[in-house]
Amino acid sequence: MSKKHNLIRNFSIIAHIDHGKSTLADRMIEMTHTVASNEMTNQLLDNMDLERERGITIKAHAIRMVYKRPEGEYILNMIDTPGHVDFSYEVSRSLAACEGAILVVDASQGIEAQTLSNLYLAIENNLTIIPVLNKIDLPGANPDHIAQLVGDLLGYDPDQIPRISAKSGINIQAVLDKIVDEIPPPEVNNDGPLQALIFDSVYDSYRGVINYIRIVQGSLSAGQKIKMMKSGAEYMVTEVGTFSMQRDPKPELSAGMVGYVLANVKTISDVKIGDTVTLAQNPSPTALPGYKDILPMIFSGIYPINPEDYKDLRDALEKLKLNDSAISWEPETSEALGFGFRAGFLGLLHMEIVQERLDREFNVDIITTVPNVEYHVYMNDGSHIKIESPSKLPDASRYDYIEEPYVKVQIFTPKEFVGAMMTLCDEKRGEFTTMEYIDENKVILKYEIPLAEIMFDFYDRLKSVSRGYAGLDYEPCGYRRNNLVKLDILLNGDPVDAFSVIIHKDKSVQYANAICVKLKELIPRQQFDVAIQGAIGGKIISRSTVKAVRKDVLAKCYGGDITRKRKLLEKQKEGKKRMKNIGSVEVPQKAFLAVLSLSDNSSSAE
């Protein structure tokens, strides 16, 4: 191995949300003088406004730092990864590009759900783990206790764990020294055919798609023709280089290096994260392991509030797809909402971010339907179909049963909230798996729960019953058969497809009652009675009525014969009947939004 490669360290930072990952990255960038002091800002690598506002990392980022020690200049390639469970595949590919990981743990809060989840990913990738205790200067910090816990978890000497404050800049150098001393340099094979892992890609409106790569073996330079091993597509390389804060072109990238490649790729969907890049002339016989297609977990309809904005929404989604290959969409039509799109997302946070970006970056006013998961419907003839919208469910007489996706859920909670957590999981049709104590005060509860049940208010209620102390992590664990039915909401006998849901039969009456009551409050009164009904097939299971606005036709009758009054009332009644037959009910925008935010009040009596 050349001396040059001995001085390279590729590492990632993993941490729970708000444990100081981005702040630690800022201090390391500052200490290595990667960025001039007058250009430093907080959350320097988080370049989206959304990332800064929410204090989360949405996209993976990479930066090259030079750390000077007496024996030489070390090149530290840091890959900053998202922490949220929705982006776990991105995290796993970023970790595959590294030899080590820094595990940042808050000295006042200890180990949390997403920390452990990403830690397991790092261990699966055989990374060297360096634990770091952050926020030691907070009044509630308990570094000795937390260091012991982390040391026991990793088999690491608690006294050797660096204790830092990323915000105040305390002891940051100790972390840099640990990276150099403990993380191994990359294993290098410059002679074999090129193998490079794509761990992320971004779209630049001037240069096209920029692929972030880690060279595993071989070398790559401008002018060579590359081949994507998954798609088989071939491109001519126009530029390679490394990252400081901007792209820094280099004549060549060799084994062990992390950098970028520009190759006239026009759309980000042509690039698959986790794919292997090789040379077209001398291809590698095997691809790097770990690649998988990113599949959406939840689906929702996206419609423009103003029908004239349909084309703008399509353009916005196409541009968003350039920067976010995980979103998928196709056109669909709703009787209630008109023309729109059916979009697939990695999870609820991903869906929320896409909605925010459509609003902020493209100024498109949208409305989204109730999120759904993908169901497997087994037909009477033995075939099965996949549906992600209730409107696509065949008639009940045509199918035998429906399967829904389940997830393995890990809840990290202080022990005094265990009872409340178990009650919550039971309400959500959870199946208890196991319970483990991390220490004398903290517990991991493991459940298997239908994905549809944790999509709405599960996380909010988890936080409220634990006063904010509980954390959540989940991963898919297959499909199971359940007693699922399609619930339609009818207005004057006509189904409103935007309100339709697929739901467990035991919960259908509660949900239907809750929606009927909510819509009664929100649908304006008409000149006729409006019946709001919840129906499964032809059976009505819930009803409420918006009473008609009535004109006082008897106002002109001062006394007089009762038959005259009856005649006027009968005439009014006939008019109402005729109006009901030809009149249509306008459903206001806020009614759709209210159903989206409808928490399971029917089942949430805490």
Side-chain angles (χ1 to χ4, degrees):
M1 189 187 294
S2 69
K3 189 180 177 192
K4 180 179 160 189
H5 290 105
N6 267 329
L7 298 176
I8 294 177
R9 301 290 184 271
N10 298 320
F11 70 97
S12 183
I13 304 180
I14 52 181
H16 189 74
I17 190 167
D18 205 32
H19 278 208
K21 177 165 63 115
S22 296
T23 314
L24 175 59
D26 289 348
R27 294 293 83 76
M28 290 162 76
I29 291 166
E30 211 168 48
M31 186 161 271
T32 53
H33 307 292
T34 305
V35 175
S37 54
N38 61 338
E39 293 177 15
M40 273 303 295
T41 58
N42 288 335
Q43 283 181 258
L44 188 67
L45 294 178
D46 293 342
N47 48 24
M48 285 162 71
D49 289 342
L50 264 175
E51 292 182 309
R52 292 173 185 277
E53 281 172 29
R54 289 170 174 247
I56 58 174
T57 301
I58 294 166
K59 287 293 287 175
H61 304 278
I63 191 163
R64 180 178 188 265
M65 301 176 284
V66 178
Y67 181 48
K68 294 176 181 173
R69 294 228 302 194
E71 66 269 26
E73 290 187 352
Y74 286 86
I75 293 165
L76 309 182
N77 291 314
M78 176 172 68
I79 298 166
D80 189 22
T81 57
H84 196 275
V85 64
D86 282 7
F87 308 108
S88 61
Y89 177 63
E90 261 189 53
V91 175
S92 78
R93 295 302 81 212
S94 298
L95 293 175
C98 303
E99 278 77 39
I102 298 173
L103 173 68
V104 181
V105 179
D106 187 322
S108 58
Q109 293 182 37
I111 300 159
E112 299 280 354
Q114 285 153 16
T115 323
L116 214 54
S117 164
N118 288 345
L119 174 63
Y120 291 148
L121 279 176
I123 291 168
E124 278 172 30
N125 281 287
N126 296 319
L127 302 194
T128 300
I129 313 290
I130 300 174
V132 171
L133 289 191
N134 191 21
K135 306 190 184 182
I136 57 162
D137 51 347
L138 285 183
N142 188 357
D144 293 334
H145 177 63
I146 303 296
Q148 189 64 52
L149 288 180
V150 175
D152 291 345
L153 179 70
L154 293 175
Y156 199 98
D157 183 353
D159 297 331
Q160 296 299 312
I161 298 176
R163 302 179 183 201
I164 68 164
S165 168
K167 196 166 189 178
S168 311
I170 298 168
N171 213 17
I172 303 299
Q173 188 165 347
V175 180
L176 292 168
D177 287 331
K178 283 272 183 192
I179 292 167
V180 169
D181 295 336
E182 295 190 13
I183 294 176
E187 290 182 14
V188 170
N189 176 7
N190 273 321
D191 303 325
L194 174 69
Q195 282 185 328
L197 171 74
I198 300 176
F199 64 85
D200 198 17
S201 55
V202 294
Y203 183 78
D204 183 291
S205 49
Y206 299 104
R207 306 295 302 272
V209 177
I210 303 159
N211 294 310
Y212 293 5
I213 60 169
R214 154 73 194 272
I215 309 275
V216 176
Q217 71 175 26
S219 60
L220 181 63
S221 54
Q224 291 181 308
K225 197 171 192 181
I226 56 169
K227 178 181 178 182
M228 307 290 188
M229 293 192 74
K230 184 66 184 172
S231 63
E234 296 184 359
Y235 303 97
M236 187 62 73
V237 176
T238 55
E239 182 179 303
V240 296
T242 57
F243 308 98
S244 49
M245 274 315 288
Q246 275 71 42
R247 295 191 295 278
D248 184 9
K250 300 283 182 194
E252 182 183 70
L253 291 178
S254 56
M257 295 178 76
V258 172
Y260 69 88
V261 58
L262 287 165
N264 292 327
V265 184
K266 294 291 184 266
T267 58
I268 209 162
S269 54
D270 293 344
V271 176
K272 308 289 186 190
I273 291 175
D275 199 357
T276 304
V277 175
T278 190
L279 292 178
Q281 269 71 35
N282 179 24
S284 168
T286 56
L288 295 166
Y291 173 81
K292 65 179 182 185
D293 287 315
I294 305 180
L295 299 173
M297 292 275 285
I298 64 169
F299 300 84
S300 174
I302 298 179
Y303 295 86
I305 286 177
N306 186 348
E308 285 96 67
D309 291 341
Y310 176 77
K311 187 176 181 302
D312 292 342
L313 177 56
R314 175 186 276 278
D315 293 344
L317 283 167
E318 281 174 352
K319 286 175 183 167
L320 198 61
K321 176 90 174 157
L322 291 174
N323 263 319
D324 184 354
S325 60
I327 183 177
S328 58
W329 50 271
E330 59 182 36
E332 79 164 2
T333 311
S334 159
E335 287 176 21
L337 299 172
F339 292 103
F341 300 92
R342 190 85 190 158
F345 308 94
L346 298 177
L348 284 178
L349 178 71
H350 185 219
M351 176 177 158
E352 217 175 302
I353 286 161
V354 168
Q355 288 171 7
E356 286 258 3
R357 290 184 68 186
L358 285 171
D359 180 31
R360 290 181 185 207
E361 295 173 28
F362 304 102
N363 293 319
V364 181
D365 291 326
I366 58 165
I367 185 167
T368 55
T369 60
V370 179
N372 280 288
V373 296
E374 184 176 78
Y375 295 95
H376 292 176
V377 183
Y378 288 80
M379 310 300 285
N380 292 334
D381 61 5
S383 64
H384 86 279
I385 58 171
K386 296 176 182 179
I387 62 156
E388 71 285 335
S389 167
S391 60
K392 294 180 181 175
L393 185 68
D395 186 78
S397 62
R398 292 179 52 211
Y399 66 83
D400 185 16
Y401 62 91
I402 305 173
E403 287 185 346
E404 63 179 332
Y406 269 67
V407 287
K408 284 181 184 171
V409 172
Q410 291 190 99
I411 299 170
F412 292 65
T413 177
K415 64 182 180 185
E416 64 262 35
F417 303 118
V418 166
M421 291 295 146
M422 289 180 131
T423 304
L424 174 61
C425 291
D426 289 343
E427 276 176 22
K428 298 293 184 182
R429 298 192 282 129
E431 296 173 14
F432 176 75
T433 310
T434 181
M435 181 168 81
E436 299 168 11
Y437 276 81
I438 302 177
D439 62 19
E440 67 275 6
N441 188 44
K442 218 159 198 185
V443 178
I444 306 179
L445 282 173
K446 295 185 179 179
Y447 271 83
E448 292 184 357
I449 302 179
L451 177 60
E453 292 285 351
I454 67 168
M455 281 200 312
F456 292 105
D457 61 341
F458 186 77
Y459 188 72
D460 293 339
R461 288 184 56 203
L462 181 94
K463 287 294 182 188
S464 68
V465 299
S466 67
R467 300 204 292 276
Y469 287 110
L472 171 71
D473 178 53
Y474 63 89
E475 63 179 45
C477 66
Y479 277 71
R480 295 188 198 172
R481 176 177 175 172
N482 273 321
N483 189 9
L484 301 171
V485 292
K486 181 186 175 189
L487 172 65
D488 287 312
I489 300 299
L490 315 178
L491 292 185
N492 276 348
D494 297 324
V496 182
D497 55 355
F499 293 147
S500 297
V501 292
I502 294 173
I503 193 168
H504 195 276
K505 194 168 184 179
D506 294 348
K507 291 194 158 196
S508 57
V509 175
Q510 297 168 324
Y511 187 80
N513 284 337
I515 287 197
C516 289
V517 168
K518 197 77 177 173
L519 290 179
K520 183 181 177 182
E521 296 167 10
L522 294 170
I523 289 176
R525 292 172 74 187
Q526 314 285 323
Q527 295 280 334
F528 49 89
D529 285 357
V530 178
I532 306 165
Q533 297 166 309
I536 296 172
K539 185 182 178 185
I540 304 297
I541 60 169
S542 176
R543 174 179 173 131
S544 61
T545 306
V546 180
K547 297 306 265 182
V549 179
R550 299 182 74 89
K551 180 181 171 187
D552 187 0
V553 292
L554 303 183
K556 57 189 176 186
C557 297
Y558 296 98
D561 188 3
I562 187 69
T563 54
R564 177 144 191 259
K565 292 182 182 177
R566 280 200 185 126
K567 189 177 174 184
L568 286 169
L569 288 170
E570 284 298 322
K571 190 177 176 186
Q572 184 187 38
K573 193 174 173 184
E574 282 299 316
K576 297 278 184 204
K577 201 172 180 181
R578 193 167 61 252
M579 197 180 286
K580 183 174 181 178
N581 287 335
I582 61 168
S584 63
V585 182
E586 281 291 316
V587 182
Q589 206 69 48
K590 60 186 178 183
F592 294 106
L593 297 171
V595 171
L596 276 179
S597 62
L598 186 74
S599 61
D600 284 356
N601 292 332
S602 49
S603 63
S604 63
E606 272 146 23

